[in-house]
Amino acid sequence: MIFAPPAAQPASHRTGACVKCLIVDDVPENLVALQALLKDEDVEILMAGSGAQALELLLAHNDVALALLDVQMPEMNGFELAELIRGSERTRHIPLIFITAGSRDQGWQFRGYEKGAVDFLYKPVDPHMLVNKARVFFDLQRQRHALARELQERTEALYINEMLMAVLSHDLRSPLSAIMAVASALQRAPEPAKVQALACNVQQAGRRMGRMIEDLLDVTRARQHGRLAIEPAPMDLGQQAQRVVQEVRAGHPERHLRLEQQGDLRGEWDEERLGQMLANLLGNAMHHGTPDQPVELSLDGAAADTVVLRVSNGGGIDAELLPRLFAPFTGRRNRAGQYQGLGLGLFIVHQIVQAHGGTIDAASQAGRTCFTVTLPRRAVAA
């Protein structure tokens, strides 16, 4: 069976995720010919020489767009294979096209359609007809992929919008209530010393609200533009780390925070954003880490093209939380059932690292949690 493949489809039509097509035939030459006929940039051809091999492939591969089954095969013929495919909840949705070199007996066709086939073709198969039929199912699969992506994006957007409303209605209410209470106390003209203390409370509540608002604005910027905007300039990451460590130590005088530096820590980055990243990582370590174990920040500039920083603390992260650790509003609940913070710190850290062209990984084992950030020495502004 030799085919002359039709002209390739224009590249503008090749979009979406990879489409999988299963071909089952006991003649190797037929498999090679069908593969050459249906091969495309976004089409993955799965080839099986028997019904048993086909079932193994279906177990290993999800979301097959089309299966071409040879009817006349030893041990397990195409009809028997189709019956097994249709009998499984996982594979019963796969469209089946039977291909046979047998006689044009209507009984065979009826039997094929009873087994769930969408078409029944006879060898030698017209190549243009087969390709056009296959492309219909490939296009349907691409559309399903596109709809699934759109549904996921809309679901995530709806979730984020709901969380934004929850933050505005709940989390910002706490510092605002503190400010209103202090304002009420100030109206009673207390003693000057108490005025000073009340003013400090107002400043703390205002700074807390300011951080929340900035975090929400960063989420909005990242969603609108795909990533945060940065302004790279020459800087020394070691000097910035020392400043952030001093601030964190001042806010947590009871905790032990170690800083280790080695190598050349100079590069072109957004100094303000990297300071925000370090403050978020260290603040997260202080908040969630085991109090009696030190928090460690290490900076390694030994490599020529990258700088690596690690923040580690005592305590672990639940395994089910690790895959979504950098998603927005992923917070830990305390014993009272309330979220500790907005759950935006690690999301913003991830956005800052991405904007610099770097990577961030989290690992939790042996009672220690470690975040590893790898930054190229030269970030390019978007």
Side-chain angles (χ1 to χ4, degrees), residues 133-318:
K133 288 179 181 290
R135 281 177 178 169
V136 171
F137 296 103
F138 294 166
D139 289 340
L140 287 174
Q141 187 77 325
R142 295 184 185 103
Q143 292 172 12
R144 283 194 292 267
H145 288 162
L147 289 174
R149 287 194 301 271
E150 183 178 356
L151 176 61
Q152 182 180 4
E153 291 170 359
R154 289 179 180 270
T155 302
E156 291 176 354
L158 179 62
Y159 169 75
I160 291 176
N161 288 337
E162 290 177 349
M163 293 304 298
L164 285 172
M165 293 303 298
V167 167
L168 292 174
S169 62
H170 180 270
D171 293 84
L172 285 175
R173 187 179 298 171
S174 177
L176 181 60
S177 298
I179 291 175
M180 297 300 294
V182 171
S184 177
L186 288 173
Q187 289 178 341
R188 295 193 292 269
E191 301 174 358
K194 195 167 185 179
V195 170
Q196 184 70 20
L198 291 174
C200 291
N201 292 337
V202 170
Q203 286 182 334
Q204 291 177 357
R207 284 194 292 266
R208 183 179 168 195
M209 290 184 68
R211 286 193 298 269
M212 290 184 182
I213 292 171
E214 283 300 319
D215 286 348
L216 293 174
L217 287 174
D218 281 341
V219 173
T220 303
R221 295 184 190 110
R223 290 179 61 199
Q224 287 180 341
H225 305 291
R227 69 175 189 175
L228 293 176
I230 59 172
E231 297 179 2
M235 62 165 289
D236 190 318
L237 184 58
Q239 295 179 1
Q240 178 71 316
Q242 291 174 10
R243 287 192 289 268
V244 174
V245 165
Q246 289 177 359
E247 295 174 1
V248 174
R249 283 172 175 165
H252 302 81
E254 76 286 357
R255 299 292 298 275
H256 186 195
L257 172 57
R258 290 203 296 256
L259 172 62
E260 297 180 359
Q261 304 181 47
Q262 64 176 350
D264 184 6
L265 300 176
R266 293 172 297 177
E268 292 188 18
W269 304 296
D270 188 314
E271 186 170 4
E272 182 178 352
R273 285 297 186 185
L274 288 194
Q276 182 183 9
M277 176 195 71
L278 287 168
N280 283 356
L281 285 175
L282 292 175
N284 181 77
M286 290 291 180
H287 188 72
H288 296 293
T290 306
D292 58 353
Q293 294 190 32
V295 174
E296 299 177 352
L297 169 61
S298 66
L299 306 175
D300 186 355
D305 300 327
T306 58
V307 172
V308 178
L309 68 91
R310 295 180 177 87
V311 175
S312 62
N313 59 267
I317 301 176
D318 295 337

Side-chain angles (χ1 to χ4, degrees), residues 8 15 26 28 40 42 97 112 125 152 165 191 239 242 252 291 299 301 342 367 373:
T15 58
D26 61 321
D40 205 347
D42 67 339
I97 295 180
V125 179
Q152 182 180 4
M165 293 303 298
E191 301 174 358
Q239 295 179 1
Q242 291 174 10
H252 302 81
L299 306 175
L342 301 183
V373 176

Side-chain angles (χ1 to χ4, degrees), residues 65-190:
L66 176 65
L68 303 176
L69 309 182
D70 182 27
V71 174
Q72 297 171 304
M73 293 187 296
E75 297 180 3
M76 182 189 301
N77 63 38
F79 296 139
E80 294 169 337
L81 174 59
E83 189 172 357
L84 292 174
I85 292 175
R86 283 287 178 263
S88 173
E89 184 69 28
R90 186 169 174 270
T91 57
R92 65 175 50 184
H93 67 280
I94 300 175
L96 307 177
I97 295 180
F98 284 113
I99 300 178
T100 181
S103 62
R104 296 176 178 269
D105 184 358
Q106 287 189 344
W108 280 55
Q109 296 185 31
F110 291 146
R111 186 180 178 189
Y113 292 128
E114 287 176 354
K115 299 301 181 183
V118 297
D119 209 342
F120 202 101
L121 303 178
Y122 290 92
K123 301 175 184 178
V125 179
D126 180 273
H128 296 273
M129 180 178 65
L130 178 59
V131 168
N132 288 331
K133 288 179 181 290
R135 281 177 178 169
V136 171
F137 296 103
F138 294 166
D139 289 340
L140 287 174
Q141 187 77 325
R142 295 184 185 103
Q143 292 172 12
R144 283 194 292 267
H145 288 162
L147 289 174
R149 287 194 301 271
E150 183 178 356
L151 176 61
Q152 182 180 4
E153 291 170 359
R154 289 179 180 270
T155 302
E156 291 176 354
L158 179 62
Y159 169 75
I160 291 176
N161 288 337
E162 290 177 349
M163 293 304 298
L164 285 172
M165 293 303 298
V167 167
L168 292 174
S169 62
H170 180 270
D171 293 84
L172 285 175
R173 187 179 298 171
S174 177
L176 181 60
S177 298
I179 291 175
M180 297 300 294
V182 171
S184 177
L186 288 173
Q187 289 178 341
R188 295 193 292 269

